[in-house]
Amino acid sequence: MGARQVGKTWLMEHFAQKVYPKDTVLVNLMEDEALRVSIEQASLDPQILLMLIQARCGRRIVPGRTLLIIDEIQESPRALTALKFFSEKLPELAVMAAGSLLGLSLRHRRGTKSREPRGSFPVGKVSFLDVHPLTFAEFLSACGEDLKREALEEDQREVVDLLHDEYVRLLKDYLFVGGMPEAVKAFVDERDYHAVRRIQKEILRAYDADFVKHADETLLGRLRLLWKNIPAQLAKENKKYIYKALKEGARGRDYEEALEWLDEAGMVHQVFRASPPRLPLKAYEDFSAFKLYQHDVGLLGAMSDLPPSVILEGDSLFTNFKGALTEQYVLQELVAMGVEPSYWSAEKGDAEVDFLVQGGTAVYPIEVKAACNLKAKSLATYRGFFEPPICYRTSLARRSDGNLIRDVPLFDLLRIAWEIQDSIGAARRRSGI
């Protein structure tokens, strides 16, 4: 699952080349209308479906030997249902499926990431893999910087500190390019920021075409308004998403369905306010107070018409529209790590902590600072209220291991996840678990 053009088809084909190099059959239900229509009319007997696909593709499918890939499976509700029967009646057949808008075919419980599939979808018999834009570490590899990636992942601290400025330069490139594979490839091949921006604009136009094709006509206007308003909302000093900023008189209940559509399409991330920030965080989230992020920092910049020249302007890229790009980057790095963060804001005053992460028996606050600014009034307020074991502050400043506040460079966010895991392990060892 994942947003359109995030690399799902490439990933499936790459897997097939490695594991099933001589025996893979791939069908695309968006491109092959005749096959899609036939599946909708056919029996759900797996043998009948296999014969249908074989006849259409001119390739024999042998259970136990062949990998069947069904791309854009969301185009056929019956094909989704068929996965249940493949699993139950033909379990020896390896089947892989993907869909850019597959989330729209599954029903979410509001306020969670759990999926409650409709109808006879094979609950418990299908493994989900969420595909995200390339992370900064993956971007390093794409740019031929594997050794710099290894230095980060292996915590070669002295090397990382000595190369700090080079990591910052690469991070600036990443904030502009983002993690959409086609945009990254254009950057690697051409080193042309204008070419990258053209591709990002094309992706955004493709998303708008999806709105027109897949959304109800009554929903279309609200979808577009929500989507286009994300940069403006992130640029404001709001403690939560403000519907009235969309247009005069706008109310949350009028936009709930549109917001759910974008979420299920993998195009946005909602981060809910946790008050108080206690364990488990999910139990204290306020679904009426949230912040809305894009799924890719490069596309956020393209939506905002951020010019390529900003790359050359010192650290201004990190402070553009009040650090929204930096905050977006941190959010998508956390999501790619499998973390679903919350945030905190004070009931009175303007104190706010950008992200909260649950780890073991503690909640860890993460404050995102633009450039090298280390003023952390909100973090100090939070620490005074809740006394967390460790507070994290991420910026362009160099790494510092303080007892109460630890500074982590923006390019080394994996360090936070690892340190939290280490602290969880230490707590378990102390308690004998």
Side-chain angles (χ1 to χ4, degrees), residues 77-89:
R78 199 161 178 81
L80 274 170
T81 302
L83 293 178
K84 170 183 174 67
F85 296 92
F86 278 122
S87 177
E88 292 179 347
K89 298 182 179 180

Side-chain angles (χ1 to χ4, degrees), residues 184-306:
V184 173
K185 186 176 187 303
F187 176 74
V188 171
D189 292 346
E190 305 176 42
R191 300 289 166 164
D192 183 343
Y193 297 110
H194 292 283
V196 169
R197 185 59 91 227
R198 285 194 296 271
I199 287 172
Q200 291 168 335
K201 291 289 189 179
E202 290 171 4
I203 293 173
L204 292 173
R205 283 192 289 270
Y207 286 173
D208 191 72
D210 280 338
F211 295 162
V212 175
K213 180 179 178 181
H214 295 281
D216 293 338
E217 189 173 340
T218 57
L219 195 63
L220 184 58
R222 282 169 287 164
L223 267 178
R224 283 174 164 163
L225 199 55
L226 270 174
W227 174 247
K228 292 179 179 179
N229 190 249
I230 292 175
Q233 289 274 351
L234 288 177
K236 290 179 170 60
E237 298 287 354
N238 298 334
K239 292 184 178 180
K240 64 178 182 177
Y241 193 89
I242 305 297
Y243 284 103
K244 289 182 180 179
L246 293 172
K247 66 177 185 179
E248 188 176 352
R251 297 173 298 180
R253 62 175 176 268
D254 296 328
Y255 287 85
E256 286 182 354
E257 187 179 356
L259 182 56
E260 186 177 10
W261 196 103
L262 291 171
D263 184 49
E264 291 177 343
M267 298 171 65
V268 299
H269 296 290
Q270 283 180 278
V271 176
F272 295 98
R273 179 176 181 262
S275 182
R278 296 175 180 166
L279 292 174
L281 271 177
K282 292 297 177 186
Y284 292 94
E285 286 185 337
D286 178 2
F287 296 148
S288 68
F290 65 90
K291 292 192 172 183
L292 193 63
Y293 295 87
Q294 244 256 32
H295 70 290
D296 178 68
V297 67
L299 293 184
L300 179 65
M303 290 174 71
S304 309
D305 289 321
L306 197 68

Side-chain angles (χ1 to χ4, degrees), residues 348-368:
K348 297 180 179 179
D350 58 0
E352 180 182 307
V353 173
D354 299 299
F355 300 109
L356 303 176
V357 174
Q358 180 175 321
T361 58
V363 174
Y364 298 86
I366 303 173
E367 186 161 7
V368 181

Side-chain angles (χ1 to χ4, degrees), residues 95-132:
V95 182
M96 183 178 289
S100 298
L101 300 172
L102 184 54
L104 297 175
S105 300
L106 306 174
R107 186 175 63 226
H108 279 211
R109 292 200 305 268
R110 177 160 177 74
T112 77
K113 295 296 181 182
S114 301
R115 297 182 179 89
E116 296 177 346
R118 290 191 182 105
S120 56
F121 192 89
V123 180
K125 297 176 182 177
V126 170
S127 298
F128 283 99
L129 174 65
D130 289 302
V131 182
H132 307 286

Side-chain angles (χ1 to χ4, degrees), residues 326-362:
T326 313
E327 200 172 318
Q328 167 71 46
Y329 157 74
V330 173
L331 179 276
Q332 69 187 70
E333 289 283 302
L334 292 174
V335 169
M337 294 175 198
V339 175
E340 296 179 17
S342 308
Y343 80 97
W344 172 83
S345 62
E347 297 291 344
K348 297 180 179 179
D350 58 0
E352 180 182 307
V353 173
D354 299 299
F355 300 109
L356 303 176
V357 174
Q358 180 175 321
T361 58

Side-chain angles (χ1 to χ4, degrees), residues 29 32-42 52 76 78:
L29 298 184
D32 195 335
E33 183 179 0
L35 178 58
R36 183 173 72 246
V37 171
S38 298
I39 290 175
E40 290 299 306
Q41 297 173 348
L52 179 62
S76 171
R78 199 161 178 81

